DNA sequence: GCCGTTTTCGGCCCGACTGTTTTCAGTCG
């Protein structure tokens, strides 16, 4: 069983326990454990083998025993018993907006409703309004919620959500009286997939802005409206929230709506220990006095903390690090000097090498590796060995023109074949300055097979970087079922760099493994995989990914001074074999 | 169910919005 499967089981226990009416802190404990396991960056199974389950935050004796049982038997008696007591289909009801554990339990016990279908039938027949606490309006809300659920798409990828959000933010900023507007929520934290869009605004008089917001022409449904907070639904079932406070309270508001919820809970606990109470409005004291903050720095400072970058606010140890003065210096765009994975018309890129080089130079890069596809990836116009050598001449000629302004590297994105061999013979790989080896096909091989395949490629001494290691496509296609313990161990052993592919459909290596890899001392490489000049700007998404992984510039080879990077590549034996 | 230089027992964030059981519970972020 992998981490996600075990985490999903604990989330399920939490849902069912909540409906059953267990004390809320028990269910919170299961959710916390589920989150911790997802963020582990190591296989739970490996942690168990080392006898270190209790080191996982939020895992105590009871949950550790359940993990043991799951890993040993693949089953969990506790969950099976729980599913006897509470109809498992009730957890589906929790997905309906405005239906939580209390209502789900009431529908079940008072209305004999246990499935979404039964809930819809009862609502349509007007049978919900007779139940406790339910009236006509509540019944209509449930029906609207069921319809919204059916419309609602899966979570959006960051790359889809951010442009939509920027358009809305620009529109909100254009409204009279909107003094400040920011994108908040998981988008500001640069989470890889996005459930809904959150905006915060500063205004003296929120009324007109809220009115304009809920009457925006794209709004299809108003889910809620109030003085300080409104919520609407647009096409595709996408929900948008807007929060407004006066300018002097904008700092606490932005902090609150940025989240994450778990980070905010930790922060509020810290406030409590100092005798303070933190809310989206203010920081208050027991005597009723309160302080207001127009910016986030002030909020964190009042709690004795340095400002914590939004990408780190996931309750993964950032508050402890901030208290200890040990927040990492995260990566910024200006740190990047090299791009090591782009394509040109020599394979499936849109423009010539010269145009790509010009675009790289405009963006301040000092090193650019042309990494066109190797031969067998026919769909991507992969280069034969002959074409690769022709391209080499063109790169050399262009380098002569460019002089010192941009260092071009002879590179290739070499296909890792189904048996783990590489697409070019070793003597051809040896001619290259940089070799990116990637998996594109047969990603559904069983774990042992695809892991062995990747390890074999990593052990080829000519390979410098593993491109988009898992092969996942967000938001829906899962990556290969790799044994990450082995992948990381062999990366450390061979010194090969793991790519963080900046394309928002990939963001692969995943952040939890990127963080662990960096902690282990494995080099990482941040690249756009650009197939056209403007795709070099996708680097922003990749920077977000490195920041979510707590990476410092030193841990990412693309930030190194060109001489250091070239020396690293040379030391890996390129051009000398 | 977890956790601890304030506690091994007694805590475990805070407020907006909604609808209904007109004073509060449920849901959400």
């Amino acid at each position: 069983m992998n981490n996600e499967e075990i985490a999903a089981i604990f989330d399920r226990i939490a849902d069912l326990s909540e409906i059953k009416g267990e004390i809320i802190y028990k269910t919170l404990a299961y959710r916390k454990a589920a989150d911790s396991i997802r963020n582990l960056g190591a296989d739970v199974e490996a942690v168990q083998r080392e006898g270190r389950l209790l080191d996982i935050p939020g895992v105590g004796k009871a949950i550790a025993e359940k993990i043991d049982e799951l890993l040993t038997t693949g089953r969990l008696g506790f969950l099976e018993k729980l599913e006897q007591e509470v109809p498992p289909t009730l957890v589906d009801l929790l997905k309906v907006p405005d239906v939580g554990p209390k209502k789900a339990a009431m529908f079940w016990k008072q209305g004999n409703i246990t499935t979404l279908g039964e809930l819809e039938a009862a609502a349509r027949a007007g049978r919900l309004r007779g139940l406790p606490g339910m009236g006509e309006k509540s019944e209509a809300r449930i029906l609207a919620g069921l319809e919204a659920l059916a419309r609602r798409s899966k979570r959006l990828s960051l790359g889809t959500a951010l442009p939509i959000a920027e358009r809305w933010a620009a529109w909100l900023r254009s409204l009279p009286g909107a003094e400040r507007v920011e994108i908040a929520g998981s988008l500001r934290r640069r989470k890889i997939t996005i459930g809904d869009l959150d905006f915060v605004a500063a205004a003296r008089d929120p009324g007109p802005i809220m009115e304009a917001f809920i009457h925006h022409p794209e709004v299809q449904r108003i889910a809620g409206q109030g003085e300080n907070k409104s919520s609407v639904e647009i096409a595709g079932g996408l929900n948008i929230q807007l929060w407004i406070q006066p300018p002097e309270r904008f700092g606490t508001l932005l902090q609150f709506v940025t989240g994450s919820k778990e980070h905010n809970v930790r922060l509020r606990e810290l406030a409590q220990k100092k005798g303070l109470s933190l809310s989206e409005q203010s920081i208050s004291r027991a005597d009723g006095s309160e302080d207001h903050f127009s910016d986030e720095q002030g909020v964190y400072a009042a709690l004795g903390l340095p400002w914590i970058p939004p990408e780190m606010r996931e309750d993964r140890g950032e508050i402890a690090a901030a208290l200890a003065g040990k927040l990492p210096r995260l990566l910024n765009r200006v740190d990047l000097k090299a791009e090591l994975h782009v394509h040109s018309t020599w394979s499936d890129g849109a423009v010539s090498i010269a145009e790509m080089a010009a675009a790289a130079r405009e963006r301040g890069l000092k090193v650019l590796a042309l990494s066109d596809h190797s031969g067998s990836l026919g769909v991507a116009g992969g280069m034969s060995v002959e074409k690769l050598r022709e391209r080499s001449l063109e790169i050399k000629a262009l380098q002569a023109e460019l002089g010192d302004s941009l260092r071009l590297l002879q590179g290739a994105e070499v296909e890792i074949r189904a048996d783990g061999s590489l697409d070019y013979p070793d003597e051809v790989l040896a001619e290259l300055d940089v070799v990116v080896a990637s998996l594109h096909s047969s990603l559904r091989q069983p774990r042992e097979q695809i892991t062995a395949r990747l390890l074999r490629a990593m052990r080829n001494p000519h390979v410098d970087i593993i491109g988009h290691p898992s092969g996942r496509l967000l938001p829906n296609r899962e990556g290969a079922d790799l044994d990450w313990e082995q992948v990381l161990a062999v990366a450390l052993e061979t010194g090969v760099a793991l790519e963080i592919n900046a394309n928002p459909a990939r963001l692969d290596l995943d952040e939890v493994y990127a963080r662990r890899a960096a902690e282990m001392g494995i080099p990482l490489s941040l690249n756009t995989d650009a197939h056209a000049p403007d795709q070099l700007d996708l680097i922003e998404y990749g920077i977000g990914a490195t920041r979510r992984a707590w990476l410092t510039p030193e841990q990412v080879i693309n930030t190194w001074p060109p001489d250091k990077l070239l020396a690293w590549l040379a030391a890996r034996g390129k051009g000398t074999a």
Side-chain angles (χ1 to χ4, degrees):
Chain A
M1 284 193 116
N2 65 32
N3 291 15
E4 177 52 42
E5 289 166 328
I6 290 173
I9 283 172
F10 288 132
D11 275 332
R12 186 172 180 78
I13 290 174
D15 283 345
L16 289 168
S17 303
E18 221 175 349
I19 294 169
K20 184 183 167 191
E22 280 286 0
I23 54 167
I24 187 66
Y25 299 109
K26 234 185 220 194
T27 73
L28 286 174
Y30 282 109
R31 288 194 211 287
K32 166 71 184 159
D35 272 348
S36 277
I37 289 165
R38 284 198 180 91
N39 292 331
L40 208 51
D43 270 352
V44 172
E45 200 162 359
V47 177
Q48 183 218 28
R49 270 200 307 273
E50 294 168 16
R52 294 162 53 90
L53 284 177
L54 293 173
D55 291 350
I56 301 173
V59 173
K61 190 163 168 288
I63 290 182
E65 280 172 6
K66 291 182 176 69
I67 295 174
D68 275 329
E69 186 180 340
L70 281 165
L71 289 175
T72 320
T73 69
R75 301 174 51 183
L76 185 55
F78 179 82
L79 176 60
E80 287 168 17
K81 183 162 169 286
L82 193 55
E83 288 178 335
Q84 297 296 314
E85 297 172 48
V86 182
T89 50
L90 282 175
V91 299
D92 298 334
L93 269 52
L94 301 178
K95 296 188 202 121
V96 181
D98 301 317
V99 177
K102 299 284 170 45
K103 283 210 182 95
M106 186 275 289
F107 290 149
W108 163 40
K109 290 177 178 166
Q110 310 278 330
N112 201 26
I113 292 165
T114 57
T115 68
L116 283 172
E118 288 165 6
L119 180 64
E120 183 171 358
R124 290 202 187 283
R127 282 187 279 116
L128 288 185
R129 62 186 72 174
L131 294 170
M134 299 290 294
E136 278 184 46
K137 281 187 178 175
S138 297
E139 188 177 74
R141 270 183 92 82
I142 298 289
L143 211 46
L146 281 162
E147 286 163 3
L149 183 65
R151 277 196 303 274
R152 187 145 200 176
S153 51
K154 292 253 158 93
R155 291 177 71 86
L156 301 177
S157 80
L158 180 59
T160 305
L162 194 55
I164 298 172
E166 282 170 348
R167 186 161 51 75
W168 275 76
W171 175 78
L172 286 165
R173 288 189 184 109
S174 76
L175 296 175
E179 297 187 25
R180 292 187 67 184
V181 173
E182 295 292 340
I183 298 170
S186 51
L187 263 173
R188 183 162 180 249
R189 302 198 312 275
R190 295 294 188 264
K191 216 173 158 201
I192 57 170
T193 64
I194 303 296
D196 49 25
L197 309 185
D198 294 287
F199 298 93
V200 293
R204 293 268 157 230
D205 179 13
I209 296 171
M210 280 300 182
E211 275 299 300
F213 174 66
I214 61 174
H215 292 117
H216 186 287
E218 288 179 42
V219 169
Q220 297 185 344
R221 184 173 78 99
I222 300 170
Q225 60 184 111
E227 196 179 343
N228 300 313
K229 177 191 164 189
S230 293
S231 176
V232 300
E233 183 186 317
I234 64 168
L238 183 61
N239 266 77
I240 306 185
Q241 260 103 236
L242 174 63
W243 312 65
I244 306 179
Q245 290 286 336
E248 63 272 17
R249 297 175 191 250
F250 189 73
T252 39
L253 179 68
L254 177 60
Q255 194 289 315
F256 168 70
V257 184
T258 297
S260 68
K261 181 177 166 62
E262 292 75 19
H263 172 86
N264 287 353
V265 169
R266 293 283 164 264
L267 211 54
R268 288 171 178 206
E269 285 172 359
L270 180 65
Q272 273 198 322
K273 285 185 190 147
K274 293 176 180 291
L276 303 170
S277 173
L278 169 65
S279 78
E280 61 264 49
Q281 306 223 7
S282 67
I283 291 179
S284 56
R285 299 176 197 82
D287 64 10
S289 65
E290 58 179 43
D291 290 328
H292 300 157
F293 300 90
S294 60
D295 61 49
E296 278 188 333
Q297 280 77 3
V299 179
Y300 283 95
L303 300 174
L305 297 172
W307 181 78
I308 299 176
E311 297 92 338
M312 296 182 71
R313 300 181 195 169
E314 298 287 350
D315 189 25
R316 297 178 189 164
E318 69 279 6
I319 291 175
L323 281 169
K326 290 187 174 159
L327 284 179
R329 202 290 244 169
L330 301 181
L331 196 82
N332 294 306
R333 187 162 185 166
V334 293
D335 295 316
L336 290 168
K337 299 178 178 68
E339 164 66 64
L340 301 175
H341 185 175
V342 301
H343 298 266
S344 72
T345 46
W346 283 91
S347 60
D348 60 348
V351 303
S352 68
I353 289 174
E355 288 170 274
M356 216 49 164
R361 214 159 54 149
E362 280 168 22
R363 288 163 177 79
L365 294 172
K366 299 296 177 200
V367 177
L368 177 69
L370 284 309
S371 304
D372 282 300
H373 291 285
S374 60
S376 76
L377 201 63
V379 289
M383 298 178 294
S384 63
V385 172
E386 292 69 33
K387 284 194 74 174
L388 177 68
R389 287 178 174 150
E390 276 181 54
R391 194 195 62 160
S392 162
L393 298 176
E394 183 177 320
I395 292 175
K396 281 180 184 159
L398 180 60
Q399 181 69 75
E401 282 179 38
L402 290 171
D404 292 338
S405 65
L406 179 69
R407 175 65 195 262
L408 299 179
L409 299 182
Q410 305 271 2
E413 183 179 16
V414 181
E415 186 66 8
I416 302 171
R417 294 177 180 144
D419 65 355
S421 65
L422 295 176
D423 222 6
Y424 290 139
D426 280 356
E427 60 269 25
V428 173
L429 296 176
E431 295 170 17
L432 295 167
D433 297 317
V434 54
V435 174
V436 180
S438 304
L439 298 164
H440 289 103
S441 54
S442 307
L443 290 172
R444 298 269 70 88
Q445 288 173 335
R447 170 178 275 217
E448 291 73 24
Q449 193 180 355
I450 199 155
T451 301
R453 182 180 164 199
L454 187 61
L455 298 188
R456 186 176 165 195
M458 292 167 79
R459 288 203 160 104
N460 182 311
H462 300 292
V463 170
D464 304 303
I465 299 170
I466 297 298
H468 46 72
S470 85
R472 75 175 176 194
L473 288 177
L474 299 169
N476 292 326
R477 192 178 88 185
E478 302 250 328
D481 182 21
L482 290 162
D483 181 337
W484 289 102
E485 294 305 314
Q486 289 197 55
V487 172
L488 295 177
V490 173
L492 187 61
E493 168 197 319
T494 59
V496 71
L498 299 178
E499 180 179 73
I500 297 174
N501 189 294
N503 190 304
R506 293 194 182 273
L507 296 174
D508 176 16
L509 189 65
D510 184 82
E511 62 199 33
V512 300
Y513 296 117
R515 182 170 172 191
R516 174 111 186 284
E519 285 169 357
M520 290 170 68
I522 295 166
L524 294 152
S525 181
L526 174 61
N527 299 305
T528 61
D529 202 352
H531 286 65
D534 61 355
Q535 289 181 10
L536 289 172
D537 296 321
L538 296 179
I539 199 70
E540 290 295 342
Y541 294 102
I543 290 167
T546 69
R547 294 169 67 89
R548 288 182 62 81
W550 295 38
L551 301 190
T552 63
E554 305 81 74
Q555 292 167 326
V556 178
I557 63 174
N558 307 66
T559 70
W560 293 354
D563 287 348
K564 181 179 173 186
L565 174 61
L566 297 175
W568 181 79
L569 288 168
R572 295 187 62 71
K574 294 294 100 44
T576 59

